[in-house]
Amino acid sequence: MTNTLILGGTGKTGSRVARHLKDGGHPAKVASRTGGFDLGDATTWASALDGVTAAYVVEPDLRASGDRIPRFVAQAVSAGVRRLVLLSAGGVGEAGEGHPLKAAEQAVRESGAEWTILRPDWFAQNFGEGPWLPEILAGTLSLPTGDGRTPFVDAGDIAEVAASALTGSRHDGRTYQLTGPRALGFGEAVDLIGQATGRVVRHVDVAPEVHIGQLVANGVPPGVAQLLTGILVAIRDGSAPAPTGDVERALGRLARSFEDYVAETAAAGVWA
């Protein structure tokens, strides 16, 4: 049986990958700072990689040095890892060399291990677990997305694809553009949340420079703030990806809908 290491094992996708592997009877190790692993400290890598033959690789902080994933991948393969699944991001393929995950993708492809790369669209879970939750609870989500639409993808679908790729060979050499089944505007998305919770939630379009300033004020480096804002502005400009169907191609079932995500999350009391 494959012994799998999960970076970011307490995060949105990593925790779900761990659960899928456990449910499938596959042993896995969760790498997290609480367990003594630090992606920024190479001295903690060897013990995490001991006995590991597959790894789910995540860069949890785009503000970090862009070479630490390539260095980790090289050490992982030297330690005996034979399969790598990288959580990348939508748009990396079209981006220039400045994208923080470009070097990570190249390192995985050139590692000598079997590999799968996942490029997801914006997570549906950002509304309930991530950076947008405080604004949803406050009633106003301010983003430079206008009336643009994007196919939010469920983190559970990402994790299921990752778990399948970590434990079998049929995804080897594949780069999946993971999206939800249909594109929604942010206004429509928050309206669905409002209907499910009885709350008044609205989306407000803001100027890109305002959003960049907000990110920088929260500690995001200017270059990363510009990158993230540019991805949001692309939604406003109609350049967001169309639904790809890659979840269905990878799993043999339709991607989970945003409506299903909202119903489950509202029932759990996240937006109460």
Side-chain angles (χ1 to χ4, degrees), residues 7 32-33 36-45 58-61 64-65 67-69 71-72:
L7 301 195
S32 68
R33 288 197 175 190
F37 176 86
D38 184 351
L39 190 56
D41 181 0
T43 64
T44 68
W45 298 354
V58 178
E59 173 52 82
D61 187 356
S65 170
D67 70 342
R68 63 184 191 172
I69 289 295
R71 289 189 293 113
F72 177 82

mmCIF file of all heavy atoms in Angstrom, residues 7 32-33 36-45 58-61 64-65 67-69 71-72:
data_model
loop_
_atom_site.group_PDB
_atom_site.id
_atom_site.type_symbol
_atom_site.label_atom_id
_atom_site.label_comp_id
_atom_site.label_asym_id
_atom_site.label_seq_id
_atom_site.Cartn_x
_atom_site.Cartn_y
_atom_site.Cartn_z
ATOM 1 N N LEU A 7 1.131 17.490 2.233
ATOM 2 C CA LEU A 7 1.487 18.830 2.669
ATOM 3 C C LEU A 7 0.200 19.643 2.815
ATOM 4 O O LEU A 7 -0.768 19.431 2.096
ATOM 5 C CB LEU A 7 2.400 19.520 1.658
ATOM 6 C CG LEU A 7 3.747 18.858 1.330
ATOM 7 C CD1 LEU A 7 4.645 19.853 0.604
ATOM 8 C CD2 LEU A 7 4.443 18.341 2.570
ATOM 9 N N SER A 32 2.270 19.169 8.879
ATOM 10 C CA SER A 32 1.796 20.482 9.314
ATOM 11 C C SER A 32 2.743 21.019 10.367
ATOM 12 O O SER A 32 3.529 20.275 10.970
ATOM 13 C CB SER A 32 0.380 20.393 9.883
ATOM 14 O OG SER A 32 0.381 19.660 11.098
ATOM 15 N N ARG A 33 2.671 22.294 10.598
ATOM 16 C CA ARG A 33 3.551 22.903 11.587
ATOM 17 C C ARG A 33 3.282 22.359 12.982
ATOM 18 O O ARG A 33 4.195 22.246 13.797
ATOM 19 C CB ARG A 33 3.392 24.426 11.570
ATOM 20 C CG ARG A 33 3.993 25.077 10.331
ATOM 21 C CD ARG A 33 4.187 26.557 10.510
ATOM 22 N NE ARG A 33 4.873 27.142 9.377
ATOM 23 C CZ ARG A 33 5.341 28.374 9.349
ATOM 24 N NH1 ARG A 33 5.199 29.153 10.419
ATOM 25 N NH2 ARG A 33 5.955 28.848 8.284
ATOM 26 N N GLY A 36 5.413 19.500 13.562
ATOM 27 C CA GLY A 36 6.858 19.683 13.453
ATOM 28 C C GLY A 36 7.383 19.846 12.044
ATOM 29 O O GLY A 36 8.605 19.935 11.848
ATOM 30 N N PHE A 37 6.486 19.898 11.046
ATOM 31 C CA PHE A 37 6.932 20.078 9.664
ATOM 32 C C PHE A 37 6.783 21.541 9.274
ATOM 33 O O PHE A 37 5.766 22.181 9.550
ATOM 34 C CB PHE A 37 6.111 19.219 8.708
ATOM 35 C CG PHE A 37 6.462 19.427 7.259
ATOM 36 C CD1 PHE A 37 7.497 18.708 6.674
ATOM 37 C CD2 PHE A 37 5.771 20.336 6.469
ATOM 38 C CE1 PHE A 37 7.829 18.889 5.347
ATOM 39 C CE2 PHE A 37 6.089 20.525 5.137
ATOM 40 C CZ PHE A 37 7.125 19.799 4.572
ATOM 41 N N ASP A 38 7.808 22.069 8.615
ATOM 42 C CA ASP A 38 7.770 23.456 8.158
ATOM 43 C C ASP A 38 8.371 23.494 6.764
ATOM 44 O O ASP A 38 9.557 23.198 6.585
ATOM 45 C CB ASP A 38 8.556 24.347 9.121
ATOM 46 C CG ASP A 38 8.477 25.830 8.757
ATOM 47 O OD1 ASP A 38 7.962 26.144 7.672
ATOM 48 O OD2 ASP A 38 8.949 26.653 9.559
ATOM 49 N N LEU A 39 7.546 23.837 5.784
ATOM 50 C CA LEU A 39 8.035 23.894 4.407
ATOM 51 C C LEU A 39 9.145 24.930 4.264
ATOM 52 O O LEU A 39 9.962 24.839 3.351
ATOM 53 C CB LEU A 39 6.879 24.201 3.450
ATOM 54 C CG LEU A 39 7.146 24.080 1.955
ATOM 55 C CD1 LEU A 39 7.658 22.692 1.586
ATOM 56 C CD2 LEU A 39 5.892 24.413 1.160
ATOM 57 N N GLY A 40 9.192 25.877 5.157
ATOM 58 C CA GLY A 40 10.244 26.879 5.117
ATOM 59 C C GLY A 40 11.512 26.471 5.824
ATOM 60 O O GLY A 40 12.492 27.224 5.838
ATOM 61 N N ASP A 41 11.534 25.285 6.418
ATOM 62 C CA ASP A 41 12.703 24.793 7.155
ATOM 63 C C ASP A 41 13.067 23.406 6.639
ATOM 64 O O ASP A 41 12.461 22.402 7.020
ATOM 65 C CB ASP A 41 12.387 24.749 8.655
ATOM 66 C CG ASP A 41 13.566 24.275 9.495
ATOM 67 O OD1 ASP A 41 14.632 23.970 8.927
ATOM 68 O OD2 ASP A 41 13.413 24.205 10.730
ATOM 69 N N ALA A 42 14.056 23.343 5.773
ATOM 70 C CA ALA A 42 14.419 22.081 5.122
ATOM 71 C C ALA A 42 14.892 21.026 6.102
ATOM 72 O O ALA A 42 14.884 19.833 5.771
ATOM 73 C CB ALA A 42 15.491 22.330 4.062
ATOM 74 N N THR A 43 15.278 21.427 7.295
ATOM 75 C CA THR A 43 15.731 20.419 8.270
ATOM 76 C C THR A 43 14.583 19.557 8.777
ATOM 77 O O THR A 43 14.823 18.509 9.404
ATOM 78 C CB THR A 43 16.419 21.093 9.473
ATOM 79 O OG1 THR A 43 15.471 21.906 10.186
ATOM 80 C CG2 THR A 43 17.592 21.957 9.023
ATOM 81 N N THR A 44 13.334 19.964 8.533
ATOM 82 C CA THR A 44 12.179 19.178 8.980
ATOM 83 C C THR A 44 11.665 18.228 7.908
ATOM 84 O O THR A 44 10.740 17.451 8.168
ATOM 85 C CB THR A 44 11.024 20.104 9.407
ATOM 86 O OG1 THR A 44 10.492 20.789 8.242
ATOM 87 C CG2 THR A 44 11.491 21.133 10.421
ATOM 88 N N TRP A 45 12.248 18.271 6.724
ATOM 89 C CA TRP A 45 11.696 17.505 5.611
ATOM 90 C C TRP A 45 12.022 16.017 5.685
ATOM 91 O O TRP A 45 11.181 15.180 5.344
ATOM 92 C CB TRP A 45 12.200 18.064 4.278
ATOM 93 C CG TRP A 45 11.793 19.484 4.003
ATOM 94 C CD1 TRP A 45 10.945 20.271 4.753
ATOM 95 C CD2 TRP A 45 12.256 20.295 2.920
ATOM 96 N NE1 TRP A 45 10.848 21.511 4.187
ATOM 97 C CE2 TRP A 45 11.633 21.563 3.063
ATOM 98 C CE3 TRP A 45 13.120 20.083 1.852
ATOM 99 C CZ2 TRP A 45 11.852 22.609 2.165
ATOM 100 C CZ3 TRP A 45 13.346 21.127 0.954
ATOM 101 C CH2 TRP A 45 12.714 22.365 1.110
ATOM 102 N N VAL A 58 1.652 21.059 -1.834
ATOM 103 C CA VAL A 58 0.905 22.317 -1.803
ATOM 104 C C VAL A 58 1.837 23.420 -1.337
ATOM 105 O O VAL A 58 2.605 23.225 -0.385
ATOM 106 C CB VAL A 58 -0.290 22.226 -0.820
ATOM 107 C CG1 VAL A 58 -1.033 23.550 -0.753
ATOM 108 C CG2 VAL A 58 -1.223 21.095 -1.200
ATOM 109 N N GLU A 59 1.772 24.562 -1.999
ATOM 110 C CA GLU A 59 2.435 25.759 -1.498
ATOM 111 C C GLU A 59 1.381 26.580 -0.749
ATOM 112 O O GLU A 59 0.520 27.190 -1.370
ATOM 113 C CB GLU A 59 3.036 26.587 -2.637
ATOM 114 C CG GLU A 59 3.601 27.936 -2.208
ATOM 115 C CD GLU A 59 4.582 27.836 -1.057
ATOM 116 O OE1 GLU A 59 5.754 27.526 -1.297
ATOM 117 O OE2 GLU A 59 4.150 28.070 0.108
ATOM 118 N N PRO A 60 1.410 26.553 0.588
ATOM 119 C CA PRO A 60 0.354 27.223 1.341
ATOM 120 C C PRO A 60 0.473 28.732 1.392
ATOM 121 O O PRO A 60 -0.462 29.410 1.820
ATOM 122 C CB PRO A 60 0.500 26.621 2.745
ATOM 123 C CG PRO A 60 1.949 26.276 2.849
ATOM 124 C CD PRO A 60 2.358 25.856 1.462
ATOM 125 N N ASP A 61 1.602 29.276 0.945
ATOM 126 C CA ASP A 61 1.828 30.705 1.100
ATOM 127 C C ASP A 61 2.536 31.248 -0.137
ATOM 128 O O ASP A 61 3.748 31.075 -0.293
ATOM 129 C CB ASP A 61 2.662 30.968 2.357
ATOM 130 C CG ASP A 61 2.784 32.456 2.682
ATOM 131 O OD1 ASP A 61 2.282 33.282 1.893
ATOM 132 O OD2 ASP A 61 3.384 32.783 3.721
ATOM 133 N N ALA A 64 5.799 33.230 0.023
ATOM 134 C CA ALA A 64 7.071 32.596 0.359
ATOM 135 C C ALA A 64 7.991 32.548 -0.856
ATOM 136 O O ALA A 64 7.587 32.817 -1.990
ATOM 137 C CB ALA A 64 6.827 31.190 0.885
ATOM 138 N N SER A 65 9.217 32.164 -0.603
ATOM 139 C CA SER A 65 10.197 32.035 -1.675
ATOM 140 C C SER A 65 9.720 31.039 -2.717
ATOM 141 O O SER A 65 9.220 29.963 -2.388
ATOM 142 C CB SER A 65 11.534 31.569 -1.090
ATOM 143 O OG SER A 65 12.435 31.219 -2.117
ATOM 144 N N ASP A 67 11.314 29.086 -4.598
ATOM 145 C CA ASP A 67 12.139 27.913 -4.884
ATOM 146 C C ASP A 67 11.944 26.783 -3.879
ATOM 147 O O ASP A 67 12.542 25.720 -4.022
ATOM 148 C CB ASP A 67 13.611 28.299 -4.933
ATOM 149 C CG ASP A 67 14.179 28.666 -3.567
ATOM 150 O OD1 ASP A 67 13.392 28.952 -2.639
ATOM 151 O OD2 ASP A 67 15.412 28.674 -3.431
ATOM 152 N N ARG A 68 11.095 26.975 -2.862
ATOM 153 C CA ARG A 68 11.053 25.930 -1.843
ATOM 154 C C ARG A 68 10.288 24.684 -2.293
ATOM 155 O O ARG A 68 10.633 23.575 -1.883
ATOM 156 C CB ARG A 68 10.508 26.453 -0.517
ATOM 157 C CG ARG A 68 9.086 26.961 -0.500
ATOM 158 C CD ARG A 68 8.776 27.519 0.881
ATOM 159 N NE ARG A 68 7.358 27.794 1.080
ATOM 160 C CZ ARG A 68 6.838 28.130 2.246
ATOM 161 N NH1 ARG A 68 7.622 28.233 3.315
ATOM 162 N NH2 ARG A 68 5.549 28.365 2.370
ATOM 163 N N ILE A 69 9.280 24.814 -3.157
ATOM 164 C CA ILE A 69 8.625 23.617 -3.695
ATOM 165 C C ILE A 69 9.590 22.850 -4.605
ATOM 166 O O ILE A 69 9.726 21.623 -4.475
ATOM 167 C CB ILE A 69 7.318 23.968 -4.419
ATOM 168 C CG1 ILE A 69 6.246 24.394 -3.422
ATOM 169 C CG2 ILE A 69 6.820 22.773 -5.242
ATOM 170 C CD1 ILE A 69 5.805 23.313 -2.468
ATOM 171 N N ARG A 71 12.787 22.685 -4.401
ATOM 172 C CA ARG A 71 13.775 22.049 -3.525
ATOM 173 C C ARG A 71 13.155 20.873 -2.771
ATOM 174 O O ARG A 71 13.784 19.817 -2.612
ATOM 175 C CB ARG A 71 14.346 23.072 -2.541
ATOM 176 C CG ARG A 71 15.264 24.094 -3.199
ATOM 177 C CD ARG A 71 15.997 24.959 -2.181
ATOM 178 N NE ARG A 71 15.102 25.824 -1.445
ATOM 179 C CZ ARG A 71 14.841 25.723 -0.138
ATOM 180 N NH1 ARG A 71 15.406 24.751 0.583
ATOM 181 N NH2 ARG A 71 14.028 26.571 0.461
ATOM 182 N N PHE A 72 11.903 21.045 -2.327
ATOM 183 C CA PHE A 72 11.239 19.951 -1.626
ATOM 184 C C PHE A 72 11.013 18.772 -2.567
ATOM 185 O O PHE A 72 11.229 17.608 -2.191
ATOM 186 C CB PHE A 72 9.900 20.413 -1.047
ATOM 187 C CG PHE A 72 9.139 19.308 -0.378
ATOM 188 C CD1 PHE A 72 9.440 18.930 0.924
ATOM 189 C CD2 PHE A 72 8.139 18.617 -1.058
ATOM 190 C CE1 PHE A 72 8.765 17.882 1.541
ATOM 191 C CE2 PHE A 72 7.461 17.574 -0.454
ATOM 192 C CZ PHE A 72 7.769 17.210 0.855
#
